[in-house]
Amino acid sequence: MRLFTALRTNTAVLALPVTGFFFAYVFFTTKGRVSHFASLPWAAEAAAFAIHAPVPLAAAAAAGLAAVEATRLRALGVWETGPARSAVLIAVQPVSLVVLTMATLMACVTAGALLIAGAAPDMYVLQLFGMVVVLLTAHAVIGFVVGRRLHALYSAPLVSIAVFVGISFPLGTSTWWAHHVTGAIGRLQFGEAYSFPMTIAAVAPTVCLALALVVAIGPRRIRVGAVVLSLAIAAGGLLGAYGITREWTSFAPAAEGLAPVTCEGGAPEVCMPTAGSDGLGEIQTELAGMTAKLRARGIISEIPNRITDVTVSRTRQSDTAGKEWTLDLAAGSPGGVSWDGVAIGVVGMPCGTPDWNTLHYGTLWTARTMGVEDDYLAWLSRESRSFRTGDGKGQLLAEMDRVDALPPDGQKTWYVEQLRLSCQGGRSG
């Protein structure tokens, strides 16, 4: 069939206004959350977030529309052309047009997310999109093969529902390995991308299922040997993916540390993602002054050699022990560094379940030492209703004034005592 005629008559193209409306609705209901990535843009993170919800819809639509195409070709008598045309060659054009249509919609969603986030597409985004195209192709093949055998009047809705549920339902279960093998696109963090094991686990079961159906019911006559082989292919894909993911948690082991990093200064050297490194010099200067004050007050025992932002660190959690610190510097807010969070990170967790009311004393004193007392008090006002309406603020500030009047050794002793009390049930009065 000529390309223009195929475009004019293909079911996926004719359904484009309807499918496009659904995709536009999903995109515009989530674009507000996509804008969150604009403050610290990472293309793969924004793209994965944007296509997470549309992928099951696109796969279901591809399977159902391909089933309709197969039944339409049967109604036209194309399958009765005999050996003159290979069934594979007959299927290539309608399946390709279905995949192309759905992939175009997914490309629009991806492009919109990158535009809002202010990130340019890179190889990691292309990797994600390549996975989507492979999955759409596999689902379209599944729908086409089923639609060739069963009339689309009932096969198209059934296969669409089966695909959508098959991708989405396991995501709501506590069987963690199942989250990673259905073809659903998982969330990524800054500096992350799909690792090779994640990619194989995501596409292998679906691709093997599509190949198994082609082997089993693709030929004119169904043979026992072909059915046995197809079962082996489908089981092999699923068991292989299970073998990869059986020990994973809900968070798959993504490739990390891919974002460019910029470092500046010394004692301490401060390292941040290049995308969020505006004002790095000023941040380094402030941290150098703060750590010097903390060392003088005895809050820390040594000044760190390097402070790395948590988004590009190896640990992915705040840590202020020793010579290598990790802090949340590129907090993702338009206002820049969340200094109250830095003060909280410096104090850390002195024990597993501290008394927070007591710990506030030590943290506020640390924030006052760093020169960010107002930031911490503003955070505390947002987090604690009783602090806003009760006498907590006055008590805290009065205690801070009292401690400031103590000699340096007395201040150090007081700080250590606050940490101890927070782990032993809190202050008595």
Side-chain angles (χ1 to χ4, degrees):
M1 186 181 297
R2 293 180 179 179
L3 180 60
F4 179 77
T5 303
L7 286 171
R8 183 168 51 85
T9 59
N10 188 272
T11 309
V13 178
L14 295 175
L16 192 56
V18 177
T19 54
F21 170 80
F22 278 104
F23 276 77
Y25 174 78
V26 172
F27 174 74
F28 284 109
T29 54
T30 59
K31 75 169 190 169
R33 285 176 286 174
V34 173
S35 62
H36 165 75
F37 302 111
S39 55
L40 189 62
W42 176 246
E45 182 184 23
F49 180 86
I51 66 177
H52 172 76
V55 161
L57 294 173
L65 293 170
V68 174
E69 280 297 295
T71 298
R72 187 173 70 87
L73 292 179
R74 185 172 65 180
L76 295 173
V78 175
W79 298 117
E80 280 67 47
T81 57
R85 294 185 66 192
S86 166
V88 174
L89 293 178
I90 293 174
V92 165
Q93 188 180 74
V95 169
S96 297
L97 289 177
V98 170
V99 173
L100 179 62
T101 303
M102 293 298 106
T104 300
L105 292 175
M106 293 300 298
C108 291
V109 171
T110 304
L114 295 180
L115 182 63
I116 292 173
D122 55 21
M123 59 182 295
Y124 306 116
V125 173
L126 295 179
Q127 176 194 15
L128 279 175
F129 192 72
M131 290 174 56
V132 170
V133 172
V134 170
L135 290 167
L136 290 178
T137 303
H139 285 294
V141 169
I142 292 171
F144 192 86
V145 173
V146 173
R148 184 186 176 189
R149 289 290 178 181
L150 304 174
H151 197 282
L153 182 63
Y154 42 88
S155 67
L158 288 177
V159 75
S160 295
I161 293 172
V163 166
F164 184 83
V165 173
I167 294 175
S168 302
F169 178 76
L171 302 180
T173 68
S174 58
T175 305
W176 303 130
W177 70 268
H179 292 201
H180 312 293
V181 303
T182 65
I185 300 300
R187 306 286 177 81
L188 296 172
Q189 296 186 47
F190 184 87
E192 290 185 347
Y194 258 69
S195 62
F196 182 73
M198 287 175 64
T199 303
I200 296 301
V203 302
T206 306
V207 171
C208 288
L209 178 59
L211 182 59
L213 287 177
V214 170
V215 171
I217 63 177
R220 291 176 180 272
R221 296 179 58 187
I222 298 177
R223 294 179 172 83
V224 175
V227 173
V228 173
L229 177 59
S230 70
L231 291 175
I233 293 173
L238 183 59
L239 291 176
Y242 172 75
I244 295 173
T245 62
R246 68 181 184 276
E247 296 182 353
W248 291 2
T249 64
S250 57
F251 298 98
E256 299 177 343
L258 303 176
V261 179
T262 299
C263 298
E264 187 168 319
E269 179 185 47
V270 178
C271 298
M272 295 178 62
T274 301
S277 62
D278 293 342
L280 177 57
E282 291 81 358
I283 293 173
Q284 193 278 332
T285 300
E286 290 196 58
L287 285 172
M290 289 176 180
T291 51
K293 293 176 183 177
L294 293 172
R295 175 70 180 85
R297 289 285 186 101
I299 296 176
I300 61 175
S301 59
E302 58 183 343
I303 294 177
N305 290 333
R306 175 179 295 173
I307 299 177
T308 305
D309 180 70
V310 69
T311 57
V312 290
S313 70
R314 295 186 300 271
T315 60
R316 291 284 182 176
Q317 61 184 11
S318 295
D319 183 11
T320 56
K323 293 287 188 179
E324 299 279 341
W325 284 15
T326 301
L327 291 173
D328 191 3
L329 301 176
S333 63
V337 177
S338 175
W339 291 114
D340 54 278
V342 174
I344 294 169
V346 169
V347 176
M349 291 277 288
C351 53
T353 57
D355 178 78
W356 297 108
N357 290 328
T358 300
L359 194 60
H360 287 321
Y361 285 86
T363 308
L364 179 57
W365 190 63
T366 299
R368 174 175 283 196
T369 301
M370 296 168 61
V372 295
E373 177 181 2
D374 290 341
D375 297 81
Y376 184 73
L377 289 174
W379 173 83
L380 197 55
S381 295
R382 293 193 301 269
E383 293 297 314
S384 173
R385 183 175 181 274
S386 61
F387 180 79
R388 292 194 302 270
T389 59
D391 298 327
K393 182 176 181 178
Q395 293 174 355
L396 275 172
L397 294 178
E399 181 68 3
M400 294 303 101
D401 293 339
R402 187 188 72 81
V403 174
D404 279 341
L406 296 175
D409 288 343
Q411 294 177 2
K412 295 177 185 179
T413 301
W414 175 89
Y415 177 73
V416 173
E417 180 68 8
Q418 299 312 300
L419 299 185
R420 186 187 67 80
L421 288 174
S422 71
C423 294
Q424 295 183 355
R427 296 162 61 94
S428 58

